[in-house]
Amino acid sequence: MMEGSFLRVLNRARLLLSLHILMICFMHKGYPYEVKGKITSHTTSVSSLLPSPSCLPSTSKASTRKSTLEVIHKRGPCSALAQDPNPLNHTEILLRDESRVKWIQSQSSNGSDGLKASAAVRLPAKAGFMAQDYVVTIGLGTPKKHLTLEFDTGSSLTWTQCKPCKSCYPQSEPIFNPSRSLSYANISCLSTSCPHLGTSECAGSTCIYFIQYGDQSSSAGFFATEKLTITPTEVINNFKFGCGKKNEGFPGGSAGLIGLSDDKISIVEQTAAKYGKYFSYCLPSSTSSRGHLTFGKDGRAVSSVRFTPLSMVSSQFYGIRILGITLGGKRLPIPSTVFSSGDAIIDSGTTFTRLPPTAYSALRTAFRNAMAKYKMAPALTPLDTCYDFSKESTITVPSIIFSFAGEVDVDLDPNGIFYIEKASQVCLAFVANRANSDLVIFGNVQQKTFEVVFDVAGRKLGFGPNGCS
């Protein structure tokens, strides 16, 4: 009798062990399984997904930090750039984003840094400048002049247009005039700050820079130093920047760009002694909200921030490692080899996250199934999964969680799941790459509302919830 009971218990234990092993195999191969303890959906009002016609007041505690700049969307009501008489339409915005992605992926695939032999400082060609969505306002010169600049984690050089111009595009503020600043100085061609030495392309003894972006826009001018004011108490003396005399192919509006990549001429490297190669930002939930860009730790608690390893891809992009995606509490059936077959980066200038086609197909299928009760809308190329929420007051959206190396799970905000053309055309904000081996890009829509922390010196990237509040 006891022997029979023992055998039954033993067989049951073997069965449970077999099921456990089978589950591990499924997880390893990417088969779907339920993730316990995770939020499976978000119920939100449709109005919260839509931008307000007026600029909303800031609710961010980051505004009290001494080294913080306010981040706004350049096409939203908080931005003076939104008053552009010839604003880009959605088709143009999407095409420029596509151009940026193609350029980034071409750089990562061939390993070229885009350098051209020259006596001038010729910087690596960068991703499409015009795809940038977010701007900050800094002070430059003595006396200080306010300039609105776009910021980009994929670019190194900070530059602005300068008078007198050989070729300048229209911008919202007066163009910077170095002759009226007491702290401006050109960098000599003989200086160690000028990476390429020589005289054939120097203006007298002055170092010249030239940078060309993936969309063929370009800026050229003097490589110089100036006083950079982040806030009234945070001033960077002798900051190296490009004083652009010939700037072509830009749509206009902003005065230039801040480069946040890890490079010897980027603001990250130039302020390393002061800020420890540490910065963070929060991209606002909508075009009518505000976020921030902060340099240094500034006494912040990071207990709520989870960190994943950070690497460099093609010497200019911040690399990350994605392990998988969970939708509605279930891990998507994506083989583990899909994300390991190519590199992945996080980028402030790319709008939509670009996924391997195998991963995107699994995400789209599961998302459409979960959203089956809602009316679909025409595609907004390259976005192929769109909905008409014009007759809905609230919607329930399946949670989408990205799992990164280091056991970091990032549950996307509902505003980080959709791209909104209008209430009748709200689209899933992900795009498939051409091949599984193409570079994966974690775009800025998915980064919305998080405190995204770049500890460049520590080689780690952090995500914290409610970063803009």
Side-chain angles (χ1 to χ4, degrees):
M1 185 76 174
M2 289 181 62
E3 182 179 352
S5 299
F6 174 76
L7 288 175
R8 282 196 296 273
V9 171
L10 181 61
N11 288 334
R12 185 178 302 170
R14 286 173 175 169
L15 177 62
L16 290 173
L17 179 61
S18 298
L19 290 173
H20 180 66
I21 293 172
L22 185 62
M23 180 63 71
I24 292 174
C25 293
F26 276 20
M27 290 168 64
H28 176 70
K29 292 182 179 180
Y31 290 100
Y33 64 92
E34 190 170 354
V35 180
K36 299 294 185 182
K38 298 294 185 182
I39 295 173
T40 60
S41 65
H42 299 282
T43 298
T44 186
S45 65
V46 173
S47 61
S48 70
L49 299 175
L50 304 174
S52 169
S54 58
C55 183
L56 301 177
S58 175
T59 59
S60 175
K61 295 177 182 178
S63 59
T64 61
R65 300 173 190 163
K66 63 180 182 179
S67 55
T68 292
L69 296 167
E70 185 176 72
V71 169
I72 57 177
H73 198 289
K74 70 179 181 182
R75 289 182 291 274
C78 299
S79 172
L81 308 186
Q83 311 308 316
D84 185 347
N86 299 301
L88 298 176
N89 60 39
H90 282 277
T91 300
E92 292 171 314
I93 293 168
L94 297 174
L95 286 174
R96 292 187 189 284
D97 192 57
E98 191 74 15
S99 173
R100 178 182 176 89
V101 168
K102 287 180 179 178
W103 184 257
I104 289 176
Q105 291 178 337
S106 71
Q107 292 294 286
S108 69
S109 62
N110 60 26
S112 170
D113 63 2
L115 286 171
K116 301 177 181 178
S118 170
V121 183
R122 285 190 175 264
L123 301 165
K126 302 294 181 181
F129 172 86
M130 293 185 242
Q132 305 304 311
D133 292 322
Y134 298 96
V135 294
V136 294
T137 299
I138 54 93
L140 193 67
T142 307
K144 175 179 66 179
K145 300 296 181 184
H146 288 107
L147 297 170
T148 299
L149 305 178
E150 304 180 21
F151 67 90
D152 183 14
T153 56
S155 293
S156 55
L157 178 72
T158 296
W159 64 267
T160 187
Q161 299 195 110
C162 287
K163 287 184 176 180
C165 283
K166 183 176 181 181
S167 175
C168 280
Y169 57 83
Q171 67 179 53
S172 60
E173 299 114 341
I175 293 174
F176 182 70
N177 189 342
S179 67
R180 295 183 179 177
S181 173
L182 299 176
S183 47
Y184 176 89
N186 288 326
I187 293 176
S188 167
C189 272
L190 301 178
S191 169
T192 55
S193 297
C194 191
H196 291 78
L197 304 180
T199 58
S200 63
E201 289 192 32
C202 290
S205 62
T206 301
C207 187
I208 295 174
Y209 80 91
F210 172 80
I211 186 168
Q212 186 173 56
Y213 296 91
D215 54 17
Q216 303 307 306
S217 57
S218 63
S219 176
F222 296 136
F223 199 39
T225 61
E226 184 54 284
K227 178 186 287 187
L228 174 68
T229 300
I230 296 176
T231 66
T233 60
E234 295 293 295
V235 176
I236 313 299
N237 292 310
N238 300 312
F239 179 75
K240 302 177 185 70
F241 78 111
C243 194
K245 302 288 186 175
K246 187 177 182 182
N247 313 290
E248 299 179 328
F250 302 102
S254 67
L257 179 138
I258 293 180
L260 291 172
S261 72
D262 184 20
D263 183 274
K264 59 188 174 182
I265 63 169
S266 77
I267 190 171
V268 176
E269 183 64 39
Q270 288 194 57
T271 61
K274 188 177 182 70
Y275 299 127
K277 298 181 72 173
Y278 192 106
F279 70 94
S280 66
Y281 58 69
C282 180
L283 305 181
S285 60
S286 74
T287 57
S288 52
S289 303
R290 308 165 193 255
H292 66 263
L293 169 63
T294 300
F295 294 98
K297 295 182 180 180
D298 202 13
R300 286 172 294 168
V302 294
S303 57
S304 62
V305 177
R306 300 292 304 278
F307 286 94
T308 183
L310 186 67
S311 62
M312 294 306 296
V313 174
S314 297
S315 77
Q316 66 193 60
F317 303 111
Y318 291 111
I320 53 177
R321 186 180 168 208
I322 300 172
L323 301 181
I325 304 172
T326 300
L327 187 144
K330 293 184 179 180
R331 190 72 165 240
L332 294 179
I334 304 169
S336 59
T337 54
V338 169
F339 284 116
S340 62
S341 63
D343 290 323
I345 67 169
I346 183 169
D347 184 44
S348 67
T350 299
T351 304
F352 311 116
T353 288
R354 306 290 170 138
L355 293 172
T358 299
Y360 177 71
S361 178
L363 174 67
R364 178 181 61 185
T365 297
F367 190 82
R368 286 184 174 182
N369 288 340
M371 298 287 286
K373 69 178 181 179
Y374 297 108
K375 179 182 178 182
M376 294 199 73
L380 186 64
T381 307
L383 307 178
D384 62 10
T385 300
C386 302
Y387 296 89
D388 180 355
F389 294 146
S390 60
K391 293 188 168 107
E392 307 287 345
S393 56
T394 61
I395 57 171
T396 299
V397 185
S399 63
I400 297 179
I401 299 173
F402 272 72
S403 296
F404 297 93
E407 298 183 351
V408 175
D409 290 337
V410 176
D411 185 0
L412 302 185
D413 187 88
N415 286 282
I417 293 175
F418 292 114
Y419 177 83
I420 298 92
E421 160 76 356
K422 50 195 172 185
S424 59
Q425 197 172 26
V426 180
C427 304
L428 181 64
F430 296 86
V431 179
N433 281 331
R434 289 185 296 275
N436 283 338
S437 58
D438 287 346
L439 181 74
V440 174
I441 305 175
F442 194 68
N444 65 42
V445 168
Q446 283 65 44
Q447 298 172 48
K448 286 180 179 180
T449 76
F450 290 101
E451 180 90 5
V452 184
V453 181
F454 291 76
D455 183 353
V456 182
R459 283 290 183 250
K460 54 185 181 178
L461 175 80
F463 292 93
N466 305 313
C468 294
S469 59

